[in-house]
Amino acid sequence: MICARQGHRQTAPISPLAQISGRGLPEVVGFDLVHGYVVAEQKKVISYIQGTSLDSEEFQDTCMFTYHRLLSDEFCTSGIHRATQGEVKTRNKLDGENL
């Protein structure tokens, strides 16, 4: 059993169930952040091109997605990752394939 530490004082042991259930939380938060980022960026782009044939969410969903603005350093798979914004939104939404 792993014990959590606060400064130099040991707190109550963390149960195995809490250890297991807590492991997925960073991923869930990440999925939500990615989904929110794509939605926000699409709204921003749509506001710039409003009144054109490209100002719909449906069109934006067909555009390519890249992680380069989400990751501070070059990420080894970002160059080979190929997905549309729509695929990324669907995969990362609440109850999406990643959850």
Side-chain angles (χ1 to χ4, degrees):
M1 202 175 285
I2 297 173
C3 292
R5 293 184 59 100
Q6 272 185 335
H8 296 289
R9 207 177 61 208
Q10 224 174 15
T11 60
I14 300 171
S15 73
L17 180 59
Q19 292 175 36
I20 293 168
S21 64
R23 288 197 176 133
L25 292 178
E27 289 83 4
V28 171
V29 169
F31 299 148
D32 188 51
L33 290 173
V34 170
H35 182 266
Y37 171 81
V38 174
V39 170
E41 286 296 304
Q42 285 185 339
K43 286 180 181 179
K44 185 167 61 174
V45 169
I46 288 170
S47 74
Y48 295 151
I49 57 176
Q50 200 164 19
T52 71
S53 61
L54 310 177
D55 70 353
S56 69
E57 182 179 356
E58 291 76 21
F59 174 77
Q60 294 300 312
D61 281 349
T62 67
C63 296
M64 292 304 296
F65 172 79
T66 178
Y67 282 98
H68 82 277
R69 295 177 100 186
L70 290 172
L71 301 171
S72 58
D73 294 324
E74 189 166 328
F75 187 61
C76 63
T77 61
S78 62
I80 61 172
H81 181 266
R82 301 274 187 250
T84 66
Q85 293 176 25
E87 291 168 336
V88 172
K89 283 189 339 188
T90 299
R91 190 170 57 238
N92 290 288
K93 70 180 182 179
L94 189 60
D95 295 328
E97 295 168 7
N98 282 348
L99 297 175

